[in-house]
């Protein structure tokens, strides 16, 4: 994971592709560009190698026997393995490239592609390095992506201010549990802000409800009298 990008000679790439001729061709193409390439021909082997081997990047086909590329990517991210992943997708594939990015891939290429382009994309990923991408937080059909800072109710994007986002993220990380106003104040508001007033929490919870609940007829942010707030799955 620490190989220098300037000298691709030491950069190790795992290619997971079940079409053996294509896999062999990708291997030759990338080796010609100076990469060191290992191959796996099914998802289970690919996941195992990606976990165990110290790869600088993984090129992952989507439709794979055993375990799909999506699942492989999902499993890696769930295990907090942030190796850069480039997904290969067929043009008429069952899935969308956007799905791959949602599941934690870093980039994608549609088949057919040139090895020069693939190599260039991989170098770009390697320059970016290992970027932690925490998985998307979900509560019912409400989702929050800490990496892209996107919030959605179902498919509908919800626009939040930075403070509202931080408030929702804190509640979502403890969804189902009661969170006190004092806890919210100390975690979401900088202690240096010198805001001692718990009412500010109530005000912001009100703002949040107006954006994530009211327009959708939901009651996600519940008031627990005398204790604080609890985020409950409502919808989805
Ligand atoms: Ca395939």
């Amino acid at each position: 994971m620490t190989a220098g990008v300037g000298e691709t000679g030491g950069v190790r790439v795992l290619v997971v592709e079940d079409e053996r001729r294509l896999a062999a061709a990708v291997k030759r193409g990338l080796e010609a560009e100076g990469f060191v390439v290992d191959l796996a021909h099914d998802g289970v082997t690919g996941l195992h190698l990606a976990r165990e081997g110290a790869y600088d990047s993984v090129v992952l086909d989507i439709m794979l026997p055993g375990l799909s590329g999506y699942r492989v990517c999902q499993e890696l991210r769930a295990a907090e393995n942030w190796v850069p992943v480039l997904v290969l997708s067929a043009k008429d594939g069952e899935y969308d490239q956007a799905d791959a990015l949602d599941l934690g891939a870093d980039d994608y290429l549609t088949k057919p592609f040139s090895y020069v382009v693939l190599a260039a994309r991989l170098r770009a990923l390697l320059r970016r390095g290992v970027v932690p991408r925490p998985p998307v937080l979900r509560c019912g059909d409400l989702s929050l992506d800490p990496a892209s800072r996107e919030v959605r109710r179902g498919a509908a994007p919800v626009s939040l201010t930075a403070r509202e986002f931080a408030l929702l993220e804190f509640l979502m990380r403890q969804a189902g549990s009661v969170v006190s106003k004092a806890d919210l104040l100390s975690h979401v508001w900088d202690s240096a802000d010198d805001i001692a007033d718990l009412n500010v929490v109530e005000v912001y919870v009100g703002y949040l409800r107006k954006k994530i609940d009211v327009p959708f007829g939901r009651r996600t942010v519940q008031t627990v009298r005398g204790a604080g707030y609890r985020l409950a799955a409502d919808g989805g």
Side-chain angles (χ1 to χ4, degrees):
M1 309 257 178
T2 53
V5 174
E7 20 145 15
T8 47
V11 175
R12 296 181 65 213
V13 179
L14 173 66
V15 175
V16 189
E17 167 64 70
D18 59 316
E19 294 164 54
R20 285 172 186 262
R21 285 174 63 182
L22 176 59
V26 169
K27 180 175 162 75
R28 280 195 304 274
L30 289 179
E31 282 174 350
E33 294 285 331
F35 294 91
V36 177
V37 181
D38 285 344
L39 293 180
H41 299 297
D42 65 84
V44 176
T45 308
L47 178 60
H48 176 75
L49 287 176
R51 273 181 172 160
E52 303 302 319
Y55 292 101
D56 298 294
S57 182
V58 175
V59 176
L60 191 58
D61 184 32
I62 289 175
M63 301 303 283
L64 289 168
L67 208 58
S68 75
Y70 285 105
R71 285 287 311 280
V72 172
C73 196
Q74 213 173 11
E75 297 271 331
L76 284 173
R77 298 324 189 206
E80 303 199 338
N81 182 322
W82 309 112
V83 62
V85 171
L86 186 149
V87 159
L88 301 177
S89 68
K91 212 167 202 144
D92 305 318
E94 184 182 342
Y95 301 96
D96 194 61
Q97 289 101 349
D99 294 335
L101 300 183
D102 283 347
L103 291 178
D106 299 279
D107 199 0
Y108 61 85
L109 265 184
T110 304
K111 296 177 190 175
F113 51 86
S114 97
Y115 304 122
V116 176
V117 171
L118 175 59
R121 294 282 195 91
L122 286 177
R123 286 194 194 97
L125 284 184
L126 292 163
R127 274 197 296 276
R128 254 170 55 190
V130 175
V131 183
R133 295 172 53 116
V136 174
L137 304 175
R138 293 184 196 282
C139 185
D141 65 350
L142 184 68
S143 67
L144 178 148
D145 185 339
S148 67
R149 305 195 70 76
E150 283 173 339
V151 175
R152 288 178 186 275
R153 171 65 84 182
V158 178
S159 172
L160 299 181
T161 65
R163 187 79 73 190
E164 292 161 356
F165 185 93
L167 178 61
L168 180 60
E169 182 176 0
F170 190 75
L171 286 169
M172 285 188 85
R173 288 195 184 281
Q174 297 171 75
S177 308
V178 179
V179 182
S180 71
K181 287 178 194 172
D183 260 1
L184 285 168
L185 191 63
S186 66
H187 283 92
V188 178
W189 278 264
D190 239 34
S191 50
D193 282 358
D194 195 33
I195 300 169
D197 189 356
L198 292 175
N199 288 331
V200 73
V201 177
E202 288 172 30
V203 170
Y204 272 83
V205 165
Y207 293 159
L208 199 54
R209 282 181 173 138
K210 279 186 189 139
K211 292 187 176 177
I212 65 166
D213 278 349
V214 176
F216 305 95
R218 305 289 168 72
R219 291 168 179 275
T220 307
V221 189
Q222 300 179 339
T223 302
V224 181
R225 213 162 285 280
Y229 300 98
R230 176 173 52 214
L231 205 67
D234 183 8

